Amino acid sequence: MGELVPIVLFVCVTFCLTYGIRLLVDARVRIKMLQAGGSKELIDSIVLGEQQLRRLGSLRWGIVLLMEGLGFGLIQLFGWTTITPGVVGLLIGSFGLGSLIFFVVARRFG
């Protein structure tokens, strides 16, 4: 358990740095587009497209994590306590099913 804390700390710091750099790069690109004479409508459409992609990303991971939670719930329900090919298959299958559900939802409403 003691080695888990540094790993989680590393992941959190890496995520924060990556997100911060991404925000700075996106802002710089928008500034350069405005300076180059890009229209406000073009920039607004790009921002709206990015917002749509972020919403779809949140939807995807929400559905996938929900299905993974159901997979773990099934493992608990069946009383499986060891890692077997069936347990791994159930978890991989629930991940795949979540991805397929996202695909259907995104095509229907996106």
Side-chain angles (χ1 to χ4, degrees), residues 65-82:
L65 289 174
L66 175 69
M67 293 307 296
E68 282 294 310
L70 289 174
F72 277 110
L74 287 173
I75 290 170
Q76 180 72 30
L77 181 70
F78 293 139
W80 297 334
T81 57
T82 58

Side-chain angles (χ1 to χ4, degrees), residues 42-85:
L42 173 66
I43 294 172
D44 288 342
S45 68
I46 290 172
V47 169
L48 288 175
E50 289 174 355
Q51 287 175 348
Q52 177 72 11
L53 286 175
R54 272 186 251 133
R55 266 187 264 137
L56 284 176
S58 297
L59 175 66
R60 175 176 190 207
W61 286 110
I63 291 173
V64 167
L65 289 174
L66 175 69
M67 293 307 296
E68 282 294 310
L70 289 174
F72 277 110
L74 287 173
I75 290 170
Q76 180 72 30
L77 181 70
F78 293 139
W80 297 334
T81 57
T82 58
I83 298 175
T84 63

Side-chain angles (χ1 to χ4, degrees), residues 2 6 8 12 15 18-20 22 28-29 34 36 41 44 46-47 51 58 61-62 67 70 73 87 89 101 106:
V8 171
C12 290
F15 176 75
T18 304
Y19 186 71
R22 181 176 178 193
R28 181 104 171 129
V29 166
L34 281 173
E41 292 81 22
D44 288 342
I46 290 172
V47 169
Q51 287 175 348
S58 297
W61 286 110
M67 293 307 296
L70 289 174
V87 170
I101 290 171

